[in-house]
Amino acid sequence: MMAAHLKKRVYEEFSKTVVQQHPLEEVPAKKLRLTKPSKSAALHLDLCKATNSTDALQYLLHFARKPVEVESVEGVIRILLEHYYKKETDTSVRLKIASLLGLLSKTQGFTPDCIVDDAISTLNNEKSHQVLAQLLDTLLVIGTQLPDSVAITQRLIEVACKHLSDTYFGVRNKCLQLLGCLGTVDKPLTKDSDATTGLPGTPIRDVQSVISDYFADQDPRVRTAAIKAMLQLHDRGMKIQQTIYNQACKLLNDDYEQVRSAAVQMVWVLSQLYPESIVPIPSSNEEIRLVDDSFGKVSHMVSDGSWVVRVQAAKLLGSMLQVSPHFLEQTLDKKLMSDLRRKRTAHERAKELYASGEFSSGRRWADDAPKERVDTSGVNLIDSGACGAFVHGLEDEMYEVRIAAVEALCSLAQSSVSFATKCLDFLVDMFNDEIEEVRLQSIHALRQISTNITLREDQLDVVLAVLEDSSRDIREALHELLCYTNVSTKECIQLALLELLKNLTKYPSDRNSVWKCLRFLGVRHPTLVLPLVPELLSTHPYFDTPEPDMDDPAYIAVLVLVFNSAKACPTMSALFSDHTFRHYAYLQDSLSHLVPQLRLPGKKLISGLGSEVCGLVSGSVESARLFLQDSLARVSMLQSLEAPGAQDLLDFTIRDLQRLGELQTELAGSADFCATYLRCQLLLTKALQEKLWSMAVPLCLKQNAMASAAVKQILEETYKLEFLYSGLETRQVATIHHVRLQAKALQLVLTARTKRGVDPLISVCEKFIQEVESFQRLFMSELSHFQDSFVEKLLELMPRLVACKPLDLVKILHTTLRQSGFLHLKIPEQIHRASAIIIEPTGESDNPLRFTTGLVVALDIDATLEHVQDHQSTVKVEVLYPDGQAHIIHPKPGDFRHPGPGRVRLITQVYLSHSAWTEPCQLEVRLLLAYSSSTCKLSTPKPAWNESTEGLPQAESSIEGTIPLSKPVKVFIMPKLARR
């Protein structure tokens, strides 16, 4: 063993000596270049391995599923073209290659001008019609990718014109589509030009003339493609010539549905381009305006054999607002009106009799009758088939046609008061339609034209019959209609009140909607309500009547109608009894949004209080806005919030702005927004006071806790400022993010102050630096407004912040926070605060919901949302149980309804379940607004519904916090044990 060990030592010493005397030369390292495998080389190898056309087609199909980089596109195209030219004889493989050429031309970043010559050459040598059509589609893709290349566009147009004579309909279709997408007015087609060389010839015809020649093609698919190509020219801004109007009118009688559908669209386009042009009536000497003639043609198509064409024609009628009134009114009558027939004057009849040389002797019967039969259809100004177009549309067997006719009637009635009066009966009749969607659409249509009409008693009777509908949407839409409808007599008011009270009895959940409806009825018809007051209030001139029950919703409904009428009718209050005045005082406090302020004679307390509150609430909006501006201007004069009296001024300003938001609803959003921002600044200033930071950490634990609570509150308030208010400008969003950045910097300083060691700070410091960089990237255009601010100083110190240690970063942040100035807020123009009111449940019931343990009970939720953006993905329902459990429910998109602009109605069900309790307890239900701090308001909003994920996983993963949107409502529940 010793010998072996000695031998090893000798060998090591010898090795060291050899290395010292003869050092080894360093061998240079071999450099490797990593490259991605070439797509073109791989495709070439695959195509070379193919022994037949089937293998080649399989390789191409497999290759089409893989993405291709921009650098490899041209090489791949060369390989495909080489295989196309030399080896491939099978039509299906060539068709696939032509398809791949078009797909590769769409690659982002690739300019396909280098393959135009090869594609055109391939096209000229191809014999298969299907491959020709696919190659033309590829040329269309190339031309679309190169809109600025005039030379290439002209060559492609010439190629299309050359192949328009092909016998295959698919080739002609693609040629017409290419002309529609690339054709221009200033570049007429040439006769002797060569498509391969692009040499110009003699200009003879424009694109529209060439396309219009194929309106009479033998194949209906080509005729459809020709009309669509002409419409494509119109969509691109090219004015279509009026000369094709007669051709388009002839195509309305085509045997094929697609041709008629495209022709209707073409006739409508021409009526919008040349409304006042004069066109002759066939078989007569009369002339009418083109818009009137086209209106008659489109009206005739409402009776087409295809329901798709009927729907399209009915929709287009609603947009033809320039038509003459007598043509418009003819659509409501199936018989041809006399003013749309051409009548000869007495002078013309006498002249004709004189020219004939015959006079009636009176001896023979009808010897003065006309010698020839007059064709009545030849002298009509409108086709008899177009008469009563809306009557046909409203009676159509397809509900899609009926809906389109109702919408068109509504659009035309909004532009003509006389037509609105005439079509009223037709819209009211649609309230009895068998399809709920049609009934709902007719109610909405009548609501839009309600300002121009007055309902008769028989019409109102039909309207009110819909209140018995089982659909809640139908009933609420009808309540909304009655709010804005005028009625003619007091019997109509009485009838409406009676039916609404029946509705209230049958459907108690409609209480708030019925009360709102009666409020507007009273406001619009005070003189009609006045003679009904003694009967409605059950008063008697000599005898005292019993006092009604104030808990009766029907009696409250009557009082809402009467009190809103009394505001515009001062003499009505003399008909009130003593208990009516008391009930008014009670309702004015409990339902102030339904009962107005009244000047009641002899009631000094109510009158004085009402006038005082009315003076505060109904003050001038302009003066309130001026007060808001003055308050912010006063605060903006503060250079530092540590100055004596600065914090007191902020406290007083916040209090004034909160009170202003309570008194002026128009400025509530702006006032609350400014007050919340100033509160954040005040909390930040108090957290940075000198007393807190001059003491040792063990001596100020309470102060550190207070500062941490202030930071948490500031962060919550900034999220409210960003996501709870709508109408913010970029500068205001940047100011909110600036305050949040200050709060996070203070949070980082407090973390370093209360925790030991450097390791916990490293990740926090890196995250903070990323947020500063994100702020700079998002609000680059607004940085000029942040002078002498916290973020401006941070950006100046950014190179130092990135390189310094965590503790040095904390010291810099602390110093910068103390030295940064007060950032003033720009007054927002119009800001709305998102809010929600839970209508059901009311929280007033003492009867608990009883259910068996382990099972569920459904709780109906009815809430009104205002100014909530992206409500389908952000609004949630929270259920808080007495034991502290909280469940968040995501309403379905179908649970949201849109009764008006800025307002959303949420009607859903929440399923409750719990273990057994010994006695009933209250749970809380409220609405929440979910937000994600990673989603800035400046970024593009994501769609609320994603079909691939069904909206749920994506929403769950993006929620980082919630904001209370409504006040909580308490509900009694009682889970009980199951009986055995």
Side-chain angles (χ1 to χ4, degrees):
M1 292 293 293
M2 289 292 295
H5 180 70
L6 182 61
K7 186 177 181 180
K8 183 178 180 180
R9 286 288 305 273
V10 172
Y11 177 75
E12 290 177 354
E13 293 294 334
F14 176 76
S15 300
K16 290 181 181 179
T17 305
V18 172
V19 170
Q20 290 176 359
Q21 294 178 356
H22 304 283
L24 296 175
E25 296 181 0
E26 294 184 1
V27 180
K30 184 177 292 185
K31 296 181 180 180
L32 299 178
R33 182 181 180 184
L34 300 178
T35 58
K36 295 182 179 179
S38 173
K39 294 282 184 180
S40 57
L43 179 64
H44 179 69
L45 291 175
D46 289 340
L47 293 177
C48 290
K49 289 189 295 184
T51 58
N52 50 38
S53 300
T54 305
D55 294 342
L57 185 60
Q58 290 297 325
Y59 286 130
L60 291 175
L61 291 173
H62 181 70
F63 178 79
R65 301 188 189 102
K66 298 179 181 180
V68 181
E69 295 80 9
V70 182
E71 300 82 9
S72 306
V73 171
E74 187 173 356
V76 170
I77 291 178
R78 296 300 174 194
I79 295 296
L80 290 173
L81 290 173
E82 181 182 357
H83 187 79
Y84 184 97
Y85 286 137
K86 297 181 179 180
K87 299 182 179 180
E88 198 49 60
T89 58
D90 189 80
T91 304
S92 59
V93 178
R94 296 203 310 276
L95 184 65
K96 185 60 183 176
I97 291 176
S99 174
L100 285 176
L101 292 177
L103 291 175
L104 291 171
S105 300
K106 295 180 182 178
T107 304
Q108 189 174 3
F110 175 70
T111 305
D113 54 352
C114 56
I115 63 171
V116 174
D117 294 334
D118 294 319
I120 294 177
S121 175
T122 305
L123 188 73
N124 293 330
N125 298 326
E126 182 58 53
K127 303 300 181 183
S128 172
H129 297 293
Q130 294 180 344
V131 180
L132 273 175
Q134 187 60 53
L135 288 172
L136 285 169
D137 187 72
T138 300
L139 291 180
L140 175 61
V141 172
I142 295 174
T144 308
Q145 298 291 323
L146 302 171
D148 299 329
S149 179
V150 180
I152 292 178
T153 301
Q154 185 66 16
R155 287 189 63 191
L156 296 181
I157 292 175
E158 292 167 0
V159 169
C161 293
K162 178 181 177 182
H163 290 85
L164 271 175
S165 58
D166 196 279
T167 57
Y168 182 57
F169 78 94
V171 176
R172 301 202 298 276
N173 280 0
K174 291 298 179 181
C175 291
L176 291 170
Q177 186 179 357
L178 195 147
L179 291 177
C181 293
L182 303 179
T184 56
V185 175
D186 54 344
K187 292 289 183 180
L189 303 182
T190 56
K191 181 178 181 180
D192 302 324
S193 59
D194 187 358
T196 58
T197 61
L199 297 176
T202 307
I204 52 170
R205 307 180 65 197
D206 61 354
V207 176
Q208 294 188 29
S209 300
V210 174
I211 294 176
S212 62
D213 287 346
Y214 289 85
F215 284 1
D217 193 272
Q218 61 182 357
D219 195 298
R221 292 164 290 190
V222 178
R223 297 197 295 270
T224 305
I227 302 175
K228 289 183 177 180
M230 195 71 76
L231 292 173
Q232 182 69 25
L233 294 177
H234 170 72
D235 293 338
R236 292 173 51 221
M238 191 181 302
K239 192 171 183 179
I240 300 177
Q241 300 170 1
Q242 185 185 345
T243 53
I244 67 170
Y245 177 71
N246 291 330
Q247 293 176 280
C249 291
K250 291 179 181 178
L251 291 173
L252 293 176
N253 300 320
D254 198 275
D255 294 335
Y256 291 87
E257 171 188 328
Q258 293 83 359
V259 179
R260 297 197 303 273
S261 177
V264 169
Q265 186 72 26
M266 175 61 67
V267 170
W268 177 83
V269 167
L270 291 171
S271 71
Q272 304 302 305
L273 292 176
Y274 307 97
E276 300 299 329
S277 298
I278 303 300
V279 294
I281 298 177
S283 305
S284 72
N285 297 325
E286 296 298 320
E287 295 179 339
I288 58 173
R289 298 191 308 156
L290 188 144
V291 65
D292 294 334
D293 187 62
S294 60
F295 185 81
K297 298 286 194 305
V298 177
S299 298
H300 183 69
M301 301 306 293
V302 178
S303 303
D304 192 83
S306 169
W307 71 271
V308 177
V309 178
R310 297 200 299 271
V311 169
Q312 184 180 14
K315 289 182 177 179
L316 293 177
L317 283 180
S319 59
M320 303 178 74
L321 304 179
Q322 298 173 315
V323 67
S324 302
H326 49 278
F327 280 88
L328 194 60
E329 294 166 4
Q330 179 63 68
T331 58
L332 300 177
D333 193 349
K334 292 184 179 181
K335 295 181 180 180
L336 187 63
M337 297 180 180
S338 60
D339 57 352
L340 289 180
R341 291 183 185 272
R342 169 68 172 91
K343 297 180 289 294
R344 293 184 302 169
T345 63
H347 177 71
E348 290 175 340
R349 293 195 299 270
K351 182 180 180 181
E352 182 181 357
L353 183 62
Y354 176 76
S356 65
E358 298 180 1
F359 293 91
S360 174
S361 63
R363 295 180 180 178
R364 288 178 298 155
W365 176 257
D367 60 351
D368 57 347
K371 302 300 181 182
E372 58 181 358
R373 186 180 181 87
V374 179
D375 184 10
T376 56
S377 62
V379 295
N380 292 342
L381 301 184
I382 185 173
D383 191 357
S384 59
C387 299
F390 283 123
V391 180
H392 291 293
L394 296 176
E395 296 174 352
D396 199 276
E397 60 180 351
M398 304 296 293
Y399 82 94
E400 293 91 349
V401 181
R402 300 200 297 273
I403 290 178
V406 168
E407 293 175 350
L409 266 180
C410 176
S411 301
L412 294 172
Q414 285 179 300
S415 60
S416 174
V417 179
S418 61
F419 185 71
T421 305
K422 290 182 173 62
C423 72
L424 181 57
D425 287 326
F426 296 93
L427 286 176
V428 170
D429 287 341
M430 297 305 295
F431 285 17
N432 298 321
D433 195 273
E434 60 182 357
I435 303 297
E436 178 181 340
E437 189 176 350
V438 179
R439 298 198 301 272
L440 189 60
Q441 187 60 44
S442 59
I443 293 173
H444 289 322
L446 194 58
R447 158 69 182 89
Q448 295 181 36
I449 64 173
S450 58
T451 55
N452 298 332
I453 59 174
T454 300
L455 289 178
R456 302 189 309 269
E457 188 172 353
D458 59 318
Q459 295 170 338
L460 183 63
D461 197 9
V462 177
V463 170
L464 294 174
V466 186
L467 289 174
E468 299 180 1
D469 199 295
S470 60
S471 171
R472 185 171 188 166
D473 294 337
I474 293 288
R475 297 196 307 272
E476 290 187 353
L478 192 65
H479 295 159
E480 188 81 13
L481 168 63
L482 293 175
C483 288
Y484 301 97
T485 301
N486 300 316
V487 296
S488 54
T489 61
K490 64 184 180 64
E491 285 77 14
C492 293
I493 294 289
Q494 199 168 14
L495 178 62
L497 177 61
L498 181 62
E499 293 298 329
L500 286 170
L501 294 181
K502 288 181 181 178
N503 177 21
L504 192 60
T505 304
K506 187 175 182 180
Y507 301 102
S509 59
D510 292 352
R511 181 181 62 181
N512 290 280
S513 182
V514 170
W515 287 351
K516 176 189 172 185
C517 175
L518 288 171
R519 174 199 169 203
F520 280 94
L521 273 179
V523 170
R524 298 180 74 89
H525 307 92
T527 56
L528 300 180
V529 176
L530 178 60
L532 299 174
V533 169
E535 182 181 354
L536 296 178
L537 299 180
S538 300
T539 57
H540 196 275
Y542 305 115
F543 302 104
D544 286 337
T545 55
E547 182 176 348
D549 184 11
M550 276 302 296
D551 292 332
D552 184 9
Y555 177 63
I556 294 177
V558 173
L559 289 182
V560 168
L561 173 68
V562 172
F563 290 150
N564 281 278
S565 301
K567 184 175 182 180
C569 189
T571 59
M572 190 180 295
S573 58
L575 304 175
F576 295 170
S577 58
D578 292 338
H579 62 261
T580 306
F581 290 109
R582 294 197 304 271
H583 295 168
Y584 165 75
Y586 171 74
L587 291 179
Q588 219 288 316
D589 289 336
S590 59
L591 298 174
S592 58
H593 62 289
L594 295 175
V595 179
Q597 291 286 337
L598 299 179
R599 295 181 179 272
L600 302 179
K603 302 296 178 181
K604 296 182 180 179
L605 181 62
I606 297 177
S607 176
L609 180 62
S611 61
E612 180 182 354
V613 176
C614 186
L616 288 173
V617 176
S618 63
S620 173
V621 179
E622 293 300 326
S623 61
R625 191 181 298 276
L626 183 61
F627 176 79
L628 174 63
Q629 294 175 353
D630 292 342
S631 300
L632 293 180
R634 219 169 25 246
V635 175
S636 64
M637 296 174 62
L638 298 174
Q639 299 297 329
S640 174
L641 294 182
E642 296 183 358
Q647 296 184 15
D648 294 336
L649 177 61
L650 270 186
D651 279 326
F652 293 142
T653 305
I654 292 171
R655 184 196 63 187
D656 293 342
L657 293 177
Q658 289 175 343
R659 183 60 178 160
L660 177 64
E662 295 173 0
L663 296 179
Q664 282 291 347
T665 55
E666 293 85 352
L667 297 177
S670 300
D672 292 343
F673 180 83
C674 296
T676 306
Y677 173 76
L678 295 179
R679 191 183 305 112
C680 292
Q681 293 287 355
L682 186 60
L683 290 171
L684 190 63
T685 303
K686 290 181 178 180
L688 290 170
Q689 286 180 349
E690 182 68 28
K691 296 179 182 179
L692 173 64
W693 305 98
S694 60
M695 299 172 60
V697 176
L699 300 178
C700 58
L701 295 178
K702 183 178 180 181
Q703 288 82 351
N704 285 333
M706 293 174 59
S708 299
V711 168
K712 184 178 179 181
Q713 185 177 354
I714 292 172
L715 291 176
E716 291 177 356
E717 296 291 342
T718 55
Y719 286 122
K720 288 182 182 179
L721 287 174
E722 182 175 2
F723 297 102
L724 204 58
Y725 294 87
S726 59
L728 300 180
E729 300 174 358
T730 308
R731 184 172 175 182
Q732 287 139 20
V733 177
T735 306
I736 295 169
H737 279 254
H738 181 267
V739 177
R740 188 181 303 158
L741 201 62
Q742 288 179 296
K744 290 184 177 180
L746 180 57
Q747 190 177 36
L748 178 57
V749 174
L750 289 173
T751 303
R753 187 177 173 85
T754 54
K755 292 185 178 180
R756 295 182 179 180
V758 183
D759 294 337
L761 296 178
I762 296 177
S763 60
V764 181
C765 292
E766 291 177 354
K767 185 177 180 181
F768 180 79
I769 291 176
Q770 292 176 0
E771 290 179 352
V772 175
E773 294 173 348
S774 176
F775 182 92
Q776 182 183 15
R777 184 173 60 255
L778 283 175
F779 305 106
M780 180 66 71
S781 60
E782 300 294 329
L783 291 179
S784 59
H785 302 292
F786 289 85
Q787 297 180 359
D788 195 30
S789 63
F790 172 71
V791 71
E792 185 188 34
K793 296 179 180 180
L794 281 186
L795 292 177
E796 292 175 356
L797 299 171
M798 200 62 187
R800 182 180 170 188
L801 293 178
V802 175
C804 69
K805 297 179 180 179
L807 293 179
D808 296 335
L809 175 63
V810 171
K811 292 179 182 179
I812 295 174
L813 290 179
H814 184 208
T815 306
T816 309
L817 278 172
R818 296 291 304 277
Q819 294 177 354
S820 58
F822 173 62
L823 187 62
H824 304 300
L825 179 68
K826 179 179 178 290
I827 299 178
E829 291 294 333
Q830 186 65 39
I831 288 181
H832 298 287
R833 179 189 171 108
S835 61
I837 299 175
I838 298 179
I839 303 173
E840 294 290 342
T842 60
E844 301 172 354
S845 176
D846 294 333
N847 298 324
L849 289 173
R850 301 180 184 272
F851 60 96
T852 304
T853 301
L855 301 180
V856 295
V857 62
L859 177 65
D860 293 327
I861 302 292
D862 185 1
T864 302
L865 313 177
E866 291 189 358
H867 308 295
V868 179
Q869 297 179 334
D870 196 15
H871 52 269
Q872 292 188 0
S873 60
T874 57
V875 175
K876 314 296 176 187
V877 182
E878 183 189 46
V879 179
L880 183 63
Y881 290 92
D883 57 356
Q885 296 184 31
H887 294 169
I888 295 181
I889 295 93
H890 307 270
K892 296 179 294 185
D895 294 337
F896 295 95
R897 294 162 174 81
H898 302 270
R903 292 171 50 228
V904 177
R905 187 82 175 273
L906 173 62
I907 301 176
T908 186
Q909 280 188 333
V910 173
Y911 296 101
L912 309 176
S913 181
H914 209 279
S915 56
W917 297 348
T918 56
E919 60 182 11
C921 291
Q922 288 181 333
L923 58 80
E924 291 186 353
V925 179
R926 64 175 178 174
L927 298 183
L928 301 177
L929 184 71
Y931 67 87
S932 172
S933 60
S934 60
T935 304
C936 179
K937 277 200 172 183
L938 300 180
S939 60
T940 304
K942 296 180 180 180
W945 185 256
N946 189 352
E947 294 182 358
S948 60
T949 60
E950 296 184 357
L952 295 178
Q954 184 178 1
E956 280 289 340
S957 62
S958 61
I959 293 177
E960 294 186 9
T962 55
I963 303 171
L965 197 59
S966 68
K967 295 181 180 180
V969 176
K970 295 183 178 181
V971 180
F972 264 109
I973 65 171
M974 178 58 187
K976 57 184 179 180
L977 292 173
R979 294 181 181 180
R980 296 183 179 179

